[in-house]
Amino acid sequence: MKVKTIKDVAKQAGVSISTVSRVLNGYKNVNPETHELVMDAVKRIGYSPNALARSLRSQSTRTLGLIVNNILNPIYSIMGQAIEDTARNYGYQVFLCNSGANPEYELQYLEGLYEKKVDGIIIAPTGQNKEKLELYVNSGIPVVQVDRYVAGLGTDAVLTDNAEGAYKLVSHMIKRGYDNIGIIVGVQTVTTGMERMTGYFNALAEHGFHPKSEYIKVGHFDEGTGYKAMLELLSLPVPPRAVFVGNNLMAKGAIKAIYEKGIRIPEDLAFGMYDDPDWAEMHNPPITVIRQPTKEIGVKATDILINRILNQSKENQEGLKSETVPSELIIRKST
Amino acid sequence: MKVKTIKDVAKQAGVSISTVSRVLNGYKNVNPETHELVMDAVKRIGYSPNALARSLRSQSTRTLGLIVNNILNPIYSIMGQAIEDTARNYGYQVFLCNSGANPEYELQYLEGLYEKKVDGIIIAPTGQNKEKLELYVNSGIPVVQVDRYVAGLGTDAVLTDNAEGAYKLVSHMIKRGYDNIGIIVGVQTVTTGMERMTGYFNALAEHGFHPKSEYIKVGHFDEGTGYKAMLELLSLPVPPRAVFVGNNLMAKGAIKAIYEKGIRIPEDLAFGMYDDPDWAEMHNPPITVIRQPTKEIGVKATDILINRILNQSKENQEGLKSETVPSELIIRKST
DNA sequence: CTGAAAGCGCTTACAG
DNA sequence: CTGAAAGCGCTTACAG
């Protein structure tokens, strides 16, 4: 079946292609009868517009790019869903890309989305591709950073107050009477890793504790390094009495290590984590967490991005926004 | 910063745009010196091709569409990741779309991807948009159905043997000595819902049991209806002694209901489910499951799809494939 | 209210 | 090995 074009519609309807285009785009100045003629022809031959041609000419794709770190992390799938839903309400489609925390893949996506001429992007950046991101900024393609950020980029951002979240959780542990509190967290080249570490330090300092280097483990915000770090903590001569784990993936690995060693929560080891995935509440005992308003972050980021796109031509653009949403301490039985 | 085109490169390099195009596309018959001239110019002015223009002319986008049912279901996020990775190896990008089990959204995506001229699609269909899917088939755009399928469509498919999986799990429960086995499963308009129900019936029949209608609950493969169904089962004069829940989302809801009622697993109620999400093993007690080879489904579907795309011009196409991958019974403490 | 023409940025026969 | 020209399927000033 040959694919139909606007030309076929024009021929069927007995009008010019300009007129067809006007009807299809809902222009007001079209004779009602002509309008009907065209719509009938469209129906009859089963015409469907070619977005490639339309976008090439109109310089707008009504498409957003979303690059997340790890689609297997529920934080990002929930955020992705919120972004998609919000974008849909504005009539935008979303190109969801998963960098897998791999800067090379991220670079490929950044290039691919640029070539595909998305109208804007939302990104949870690895931090390694600042140059490519600058290309967007310099080309006037709006970028919103979420969850983590590359500094000095001149983009909007929607973030969590990671330091405060970590601080709240660790302070809670201290108040519960636990000393020797360990931390397992992601690399310090990523803002979330840094800030959660900072919160940990702040909580200790404020309560007069000195951090002990053997209780501080840095990994990759994934299950494997979470598992390994926990094993190391547990094999210390004096293992920590409580541990703060920096995200849900590391926590999964850490829990696995705890099971293997036959350690009991919270009797032997109190356990708290950043993020509140399904299993945190279903776990026995239920786990104390810091919950981020993931959905809200997605909605806000999309609102900001699309408003930038829509107001691109306007003179006095609003200044860059860097919103920080609060996260919530949810105390359960594991601490 | 004005965006650069092939024309700018041509001017910089002092050659024609045809030559630039040849260099960019790696044609062999280009003078090495010319090649260098062009590549230098590309670097110098920071040229990046416009995929819209390229695709419009070349009639190929090297882009795949993936429409899943629910990105919050780990089955689909894992499958999505596998599809993305496989496609990347072939040089294809994936447009990941989440229908949210809503036929209207699915239709929108089906239309959007068609307009964007993807080279092929992979879909876990809701079942409601057969007509739109036929448009793809008739237009010669390859489609691979995964997980569930719309019958009579003339597409390839990669599926799980749902009936066999359900049969294995329910048979296991019977052998353990449980009578009065209930089922909570998704709507019977979707193949996975139907087939898992069939497996349940088969297992009962083979062991001489008669299904009891009050133990059969049909919902929407989501948490809400799983919760509701479980509450109903538990408030029966004679509640079931064991329950088979049809997917991981329904199971989450069902577990919540079980907690609320203070029911113990497996002492009061044995519990088994389709799918093996993270939390199934972390649950206390760990849950007996049927695990699908989700990743393998994604890889296979992508291989099939891309081979179709690549061989589209060839005469004797291979016949349609409908592969069924086996699923595995993993016995844990909940039964 | 409608049509003819130019052009978006490429690729691809066609000549040479 | 290279260039000029046509054309992919649209939208958008420009005339009338």
Side-chain angles (χ1 to χ4, degrees):
Chain A
M1 199 169 77
K2 205 190 145 272
V3 49
K4 308 297 184 183
T5 73
I6 201 174
K7 242 175 160 173
D8 300 311
V9 178
K11 198 180 296 173
Q12 269 285 324
V15 297
S16 74
I17 62 165
S18 323
T19 300
V20 175
S21 176
R22 279 189 207 100
V23 172
L24 260 28
N25 289 294
Y27 282 78
K28 288 286 153 214
N29 48 348
V30 176
N31 187 314
E33 287 172 31
T34 316
H35 186 277
E36 203 173 331
L37 232 50
V38 170
M39 292 314 279
D40 281 358
V42 166
K43 273 265 164 58
R44 201 154 352 108
I45 68 174
Y47 168 76
S48 147
N50 182 325
L52 262 24
R54 185 205 294 254
S55 297
L56 176 60
R57 186 57 236 261
S58 66
Q59 306 279 34
S60 149
T61 54
R62 294 190 80 78
T63 302
L64 269 29
L66 168 61
I67 302 181
V68 299
N69 209 37
N70 186 345
I71 192 69
L72 269 34
N73 186 337
I75 287 291
Y76 293 121
S77 47
I78 292 171
M79 199 184 294
Q81 168 124 302
I83 289 170
E84 204 177 4
D85 288 344
T86 311
R88 191 196 335 267
N89 289 339
Y90 285 101
Y92 279 74
Q93 268 198 28
V94 177
F95 221 139
L96 173 45
C97 308
N98 174 24
S99 73
N102 183 334
E104 227 174 283
Y105 291 169
E106 182 184 52
L107 182 62
Q108 283 176 21
Y109 279 124
L110 245 14
E111 286 172 346
L113 292 173
Y114 187 83
E115 294 177 1
K116 289 196 164 68
K117 303 298 165 193
V118 293
D119 292 347
I121 64 170
I122 297 176
I123 184 169
T126 63
Q128 304 304 105
N129 289 308
K130 185 167 180 180
E131 217 172 297
K132 241 339 156 219
L133 284 165
E134 278 168 343
L135 171 63
Y136 279 83
V137 176
N138 292 335
S139 304
I141 302 171
V143 174
V144 177
Q145 299 190 73
V146 288
D147 187 51
R148 21 169 80 198
Y149 67 96
V150 177
L153 251 187
T155 77
D156 298 299
V158 183
L159 307 163
T160 309
D161 193 338
N162 292 291
E164 204 223 351
Y167 170 85
K168 280 197 284 198
L169 179 48
V170 176
S171 294
H172 155 75
M173 287 172 160
I174 294 172
K175 279 178 212 143
R176 273 277 203 269
Y178 300 115
D179 55 356
N180 288 348
I181 300 175
I183 180 171
I184 297 177
V185 73
V187 281
Q188 300 297 298
T189 51
V190 160
T191 51
T192 43
M194 281 174 36
E195 294 173 6
R196 290 173 196 179
M197 183 75 95
T198 301
Y200 167 78
F201 283 142
N202 289 350
L204 292 187
E206 181 166 311
H207 297 84
F209 288 98
H210 288 287
K212 295 179 189 160
S213 61
E214 68 268 32
Y215 290 157
I216 299 175
K217 297 289 175 187
V218 171
H220 285 288
F221 275 137
D222 61 11
E223 196 173 331
T225 52
Y227 172 78
K228 189 163 154 283
M230 190 50 122
L231 280 187
E232 287 170 13
L233 287 180
L234 293 177
S235 59
L236 249 28
V238 183
R241 181 62 190 85
V243 63
F244 160 52
V245 185
N247 87 337
N248 70 84
L249 299 177
M250 295 192 110
K252 238 159 62 185
I255 294 255
K256 196 172 286 181
I258 289 171
Y259 284 174
E260 279 184 21
K261 290 288 180 186
I263 303 290
R264 292 164 308 166
I265 297 174
E267 292 82 354
D268 304 324
L269 179 73
F271 191 97
M273 65 196 256
Y274 222 99
D275 298 336
D276 187 24
D278 293 335
W279 59 264
E281 197 181 355
M282 305 182 78
H283 189 269
N284 188 338
I287 293 173
T288 296
V289 302
I290 293 290
R291 181 197 281 165
Q292 310 185 53
T294 318
K295 223 168 137 177
E296 192 189 333
I297 294 175
V299 172
K300 273 205 172 140
T302 314
D303 280 337
I304 292 175
L305 182 63
I306 294 184
N307 277 312
R308 283 273 178 229
I309 294 170
L310 265 25
N311 296 324
Q312 235 157 0
S313 50
K314 293 203 185 140
E315 268 310 307
N316 41 353
Q317 287 261 347
E318 278 182 78
L320 293 174
K321 284 180 200 162
S322 182
E323 292 204 30
T324 302
V325 298
S327 49
E328 181 190 0
L329 171 65
I330 299 175
I331 299 173
R332 295 199 274 242
K333 303 271 170 71
S334 70
T335 48
Chain B
M1 201 170 76
K2 205 190 145 274
V3 50
K4 307 296 183 182
T5 74
I6 201 174
K7 242 175 161 172
D8 299 312
V9 179
K11 197 180 295 174
Q12 271 284 325
V15 298
S16 76
I17 63 165
S18 325
T19 300
V20 175
S21 176
R22 281 190 205 99
V23 172
L24 260 29
N25 289 295
Y27 283 78
K28 288 286 152 213
N29 49 349
V30 176
N31 187 313
E33 287 172 31
T34 315
H35 186 277
E36 203 173 332
L37 231 52
V38 171
M39 292 313 280
D40 281 359
V42 166
K43 274 264 165 59
R44 199 151 357 106
I45 69 175
Y47 168 76
S48 148
N50 182 325
L52 260 26
R54 185 204 295 254
S55 297
L56 176 60
R57 186 58 236 261
S58 65
Q59 306 278 34
S60 150
T61 53
R62 294 190 82 76
T63 302
L64 268 30
L66 167 61
I67 303 180
V68 300
N69 209 37
N70 186 344
I71 193 69
L72 269 34
N73 185 337
I75 288 290
Y76 293 120
S77 47
I78 292 172
M79 199 183 295
Q81 168 127 302
I83 289 170
E84 205 178 5
D85 288 343
T86 310
R88 193 197 333 268
N89 289 338
Y90 285 101
Y92 279 73
Q93 269 199 28
V94 177
F95 222 138
L96 173 44
C97 309
N98 175 24
S99 73
N102 183 333
E104 227 174 282
Y105 291 170
E106 181 183 52
L107 182 62
Q108 283 176 19
Y109 279 124
L110 245 14
E111 287 173 345
L113 293 173
Y114 187 83
E115 293 177 1
K116 289 195 164 69
K117 302 299 165 191
V118 293
D119 292 347
I121 65 170
I122 297 177
I123 183 169
T126 62
Q128 304 303 104
N129 289 307
K130 185 167 180 181
E131 217 172 294
K132 243 336 159 221
L133 284 164
E134 279 167 343
L135 170 64
Y136 279 82
V137 176
N138 293 333
S139 305
I141 302 172
V143 174
V144 177
Q145 299 190 72
V146 288
D147 187 52
R148 22 170 81 197
Y149 67 97
V150 177
L153 251 187
T155 76
D156 298 298
V158 182
L159 306 164
T160 309
D161 193 339
N162 292 291
E164 204 224 351
Y167 170 84
K168 281 197 287 199
L169 179 48
V170 176
S171 294
H172 154 75
M173 287 173 160
I174 294 172
K175 279 178 212 145
R176 274 279 204 267
Y178 300 117
D179 55 356
N180 287 348
I181 300 175
I183 180 172
I184 297 175
V185 73
V187 281
Q188 300 297 298
T189 50
V190 159
T191 53
T192 42
M194 282 175 36
E195 294 174 6
R196 290 174 195 178
M197 182 75 94
T198 301
Y200 166 77
F201 283 142
N202 289 349
L204 291 187
E206 182 166 309
H207 297 85
F209 288 99
H210 289 287
K212 295 179 190 158
S213 62
E214 68 268 32
Y215 290 158
I216 299 175
K217 295 291 176 187
V218 170
H220 285 288
F221 275 137
D222 62 10
E223 196 173 331
T225 53
Y227 172 78
K228 190 164 152 282
M230 193 53 157
L231 280 187
E232 287 170 14
L233 287 180
L234 293 177
S235 60
L236 249 28
V238 183
R241 181 61 189 86
V243 62
F244 159 51
V245 184
N247 87 338
N248 70 83
L249 299 177
M250 294 192 110
K252 237 159 62 184
I255 295 254
K256 195 170 288 182
I258 289 170
Y259 284 174
E260 279 183 21
K261 290 290 178 184
I263 303 290
R264 293 163 306 164
I265 298 175
E267 293 82 355
D268 304 325
L269 179 73
F271 191 96
M273 65 195 256
Y274 223 98
D275 298 336
D276 188 24
D278 293 335
W279 60 265
E281 197 181 354
M282 305 182 79
H283 189 268
N284 188 338
I287 293 172
T288 296
V289 302
I290 294 290
R291 180 198 282 165
Q292 310 185 54
T294 318
K295 224 168 137 176
E296 192 189 332
I297 294 175
V299 172
K300 273 204 171 139
T302 315
D303 280 336
I304 292 175
L305 182 63
I306 294 184
N307 277 310
R308 283 271 177 232
I309 294 170
L310 264 24
N311 296 321
Q312 234 158 2
S313 49
K314 291 204 185 140
E315 269 308 308
N316 42 354
Q317 286 261 348
E318 280 182 77
L320 293 175
K321 285 180 200 163
S322 181
E323 292 204 31
T324 302
V325 298
S327 50
E328 181 189 0
L329 172 65
I330 299 175
I331 299 173
R332 296 199 273 242
K333 302 272 169 68
S334 70
T335 50

